Amino acid sequence: MHMKSLFRIQSILTCILLLRSAPAFSQDAATVPLLPPPPAAIPAYIPGDTAEAGADGSSNAAAEAGADYADDLPAASPAALPPAISEIRIDGLKKTRESYLQTILKKYRAIPADALDLHEVETALQAEGIFETATAEVLIEATADSAPDSSPRQAAAKTAVLHITVQEKISFIPLPFAASSNGSALGGLFILDTNAFGVKDMYMIGGVFSATSLVAMTNFSKPSLSRTRPGFSVGGSVSKNNAEFTDMEEDDLLSYDAVGFNVHAAVSDRLSEHSQLSLGVSYSQSDLHNVESHNGYSIEADSYKAVAATASWGMATQDWNGWFMSGKSLSLSGNVRFYTDGTVSPSAAARLVLEQSVLSPRLRLVSQVNGACWYNDHFSQLGSGSSVGVAILPDDFRSAKLAGGTAGFEYAFAKARWALFSVYANYQAVYNEDSDETMRFTHGASGGLRMYLTKIAFPALAFGLAYNVPLSMVKWSAAFGVSM
């Protein structure tokens, strides 16, 4: 397996680690009177008692008694309105800390019980990626002051409780994985925890190997929970590989042997409920040997040392329908790499994703548009088909300018307690710079089968086939434990 697949696995694992109806009411059994009984007696007017009489002939005593009765009546607006959520009660936690979920769910406090969207609550829980099932309901309960001998206003008091029930996924696992594409294969093993310390911290350590490459990497990340509680990630990798690159017709272009390492750190801040900003810095170096250009190409590829600064921003909304976690997202990123020989190489990327259920919860539209470009960068840092979300380009092809899009459907045809099975089909198009610096447009179809495990927080199985029409090129892929 050459460089593209290794970069794909590394980027997927890094992303995983950085890295997702009306309310039901439960009425208390006790009956609460809507109106208190009238006062036992109201003093009558006594003629001639002018000292106590008012201008209209009524007595102050009667007025005071009537006022007392009015005070005993429940206030029309507060008593008639449903109570707001004042408590969040969580059942089913084993590893996850309750304080973590209370922080995630605190935005639902003080919302009126009849205005709370329980589907939104369940989506927020499923988006955490650590629960197999998550359900939410509103319980209306009498307050502690609602005793039989309490005043009528106290007896009418109610409180609303948001009751959450979850079942956690297995998050600490030894993760073996394997992938193959057009005859090239790779495999590896990682020890990872996607819910470390019960607060969704994530760490992993492991390696990837193939016939031509060996990579070891580690990473730790803590998510940002709010603007005042930023997150961070740190990690690194070392690698040794025999890299080979091709042009779009899969003719040999460049090959070299390389030994290198990379360290990186980033901080992230949740700007709002749906958006996040991340700033990072990294250092990388690679020693290249046996550099050779092929088929008349002249590609410069030297050993390098570089420091890079990265900024990225993203916003996303998600929706869980019991079958798929779908959503809409937009992300923008920029990178500037400073090489020790004085070269400065900027790059930028953008991605727009739309996933939407259509006709049935089992069927969803999946589409995306991507763009990426690199200026004056080292050949090994350039983009591949996966950089713009397409599978119809050769695995070992690199380009400095790419724009791609896909549109298609995914259908869940079976669901068991331990897994969900789906088939997908889409059409892809890509416009990119070829190795001779000409711009080319290609397109084609892709489809396959996927299996998602419900009890373990990692991808399961995937089989795919892609066909590039202008290049008359067929690609197949299979993976266990990673997405391809």
Side-chain angles (χ1 to χ4, degrees), residues 10-198:
Q10 185 173 359
S11 63
I12 289 169
L13 290 168
T14 301
C15 291
I16 288 175
L17 295 165
L18 289 175
L19 202 68
R20 71 181 11 333
S21 63
F25 290 87
S26 175
Q27 181 69 36
D28 186 60
T31 299
V32 180
L34 295 179
L35 293 175
I42 299 179
Y45 163 63
I46 302 176
D49 191 1
T50 57
E52 297 293 329
D56 60 354
S58 61
S59 70
N60 285 341
E64 290 173 0
D68 290 341
Y69 174 57
D71 285 342
D72 285 340
L73 288 172
S77 47
L81 291 175
I85 300 297
S86 59
E87 178 187 352
I88 299 176
R89 191 178 300 159
I90 306 171
D91 292 329
L93 295 179
K94 294 182 178 179
K95 180 178 181 179
T96 305
R97 293 184 185 179
E98 181 169 337
S99 59
Y100 173 78
L101 271 195
Q102 290 285 354
T103 300
I104 298 299
L105 299 171
K106 68 179 181 180
K107 62 185 177 182
Y108 300 112
R109 286 182 177 271
I111 295 179
D114 65 343
L116 181 63
D117 186 344
L118 295 180
H119 176 70
E120 178 185 333
V121 177
E122 293 175 352
T123 293
L125 292 168
Q126 288 289 351
E128 291 296 304
I130 56 178
F131 300 117
E132 178 184 351
T133 60
T135 59
E137 62 179 341
V138 173
L139 306 178
I140 305 298
E141 300 178 347
T143 63
D145 293 333
S146 299
D149 58 349
S150 300
S151 70
R153 190 180 298 275
Q154 289 176 323
K158 289 287 185 177
T159 184
V161 177
L162 175 56
H163 181 223
I164 304 295
T165 305
V166 297
Q167 183 175 358
E168 297 186 12
K169 292 183 178 180
I170 301 171
S171 61
F172 176 74
I173 50 174
L175 172 60
F177 63 90
S180 181
S181 177
N182 281 23
S184 298
L186 62 79
L189 175 68
F190 281 90
I191 304 298
L192 61 89
D193 192 340
T194 57
N195 189 19
F197 315 116

Side-chain angles (χ1 to χ4, degrees), residues 202-459:
M202 305 181 194
Y203 69 83
M204 66 92 172
I205 184 171
V208 182
F209 64 89
S210 71
T212 58
S213 303
L214 179 64
V215 181
M217 64 182 72
T218 185
N219 197 91
F220 177 84
S221 67
K222 176 180 284 292
S224 171
L225 299 182
S226 67
R227 293 188 63 179
T228 58
R229 299 180 64 179
F232 70 90
S233 66
V234 293
S237 64
V238 295
S239 63
K240 181 181 184 301
N241 61 80
N242 307 114
E244 297 179 3
F245 301 98
T246 70
D247 60 14
M248 291 185 67
E249 275 71 27
E250 298 188 283
D251 293 328
D252 290 340
L253 178 69
L254 175 70
S255 63
Y256 57 75
D257 299 331
V259 176
F261 74 92
N262 169 281
V263 291
H264 59 85
V267 293
S268 59
D269 194 31
R270 187 174 293 277
L271 302 179
S272 68
E273 180 181 353
H274 300 293
S275 66
Q276 182 166 294
L277 175 69
S278 178
L279 301 173
V281 63
S282 65
Y283 173 81
S284 59
Q285 75 173 56
S286 185
D287 296 323
L288 275 58
H289 307 281
N290 303 321
V291 180
E292 294 184 16
S293 297
H294 306 281
N295 294 316
Y297 288 102
S298 179
I299 307 280
E300 292 187 6
D302 300 322
S303 299
Y304 65 86
K305 298 177 182 179
V307 174
T310 303
S312 63
W313 170 86
M315 64 179 299
T317 60
Q318 296 177 302
D319 179 69
W320 169 251
N321 66 7
W323 291 84
F324 291 114
M325 177 66 76
S326 300
K328 305 173 183 66
S329 66
L330 171 66
S331 61
L332 305 171
S333 64
N335 181 86
V336 180
R337 195 179 306 275
F338 302 91
Y339 290 92
T340 53
D341 65 0
T343 303
V344 178
S345 302
S347 63
R351 172 168 294 187
L352 176 65
V353 178
L354 171 63
E355 300 169 331
Q356 180 67 51
S357 297
V358 291
L359 303 178
S360 165
R362 294 186 176 209
L363 179 67
R364 66 172 178 171
L365 167 71
V366 181
S367 61
Q368 59 176 290
V369 178
N370 307 269
C373 61
W374 291 258
Y375 174 75
N376 201 29
D377 215 337
H378 192 277
F379 192 83
S380 65
Q381 304 299 320
L382 302 184
S384 63
S386 63
S387 302
V388 290
V390 299
I392 57 175
L393 291 180
D395 283 346
D396 298 318
F397 172 72
R398 292 290 182 273
S399 177
K401 301 173 185 177
L402 301 103
T406 68
F409 295 92
E410 184 174 13
Y411 178 72
F413 65 87
K415 184 178 183 181
R417 180 171 177 80
W418 55 275
L420 180 144
F421 300 86
S422 71
V423 292
Y424 70 93
N426 58 57
Y427 206 82
Q428 308 181 354
V430 59
Y431 184 64
N432 62 272
E433 184 180 71
D434 201 352
S435 304
D436 59 2
E437 299 185 352
T438 60
M439 299 300 295
R440 298 185 62 176
F441 174 77
T442 58
H443 56 92
S446 175
L449 171 71
R450 294 185 179 124
M451 181 179 76
Y452 303 90
L453 293 182
T454 59
K455 292 183 176 294
I456 301 177
F458 76 95

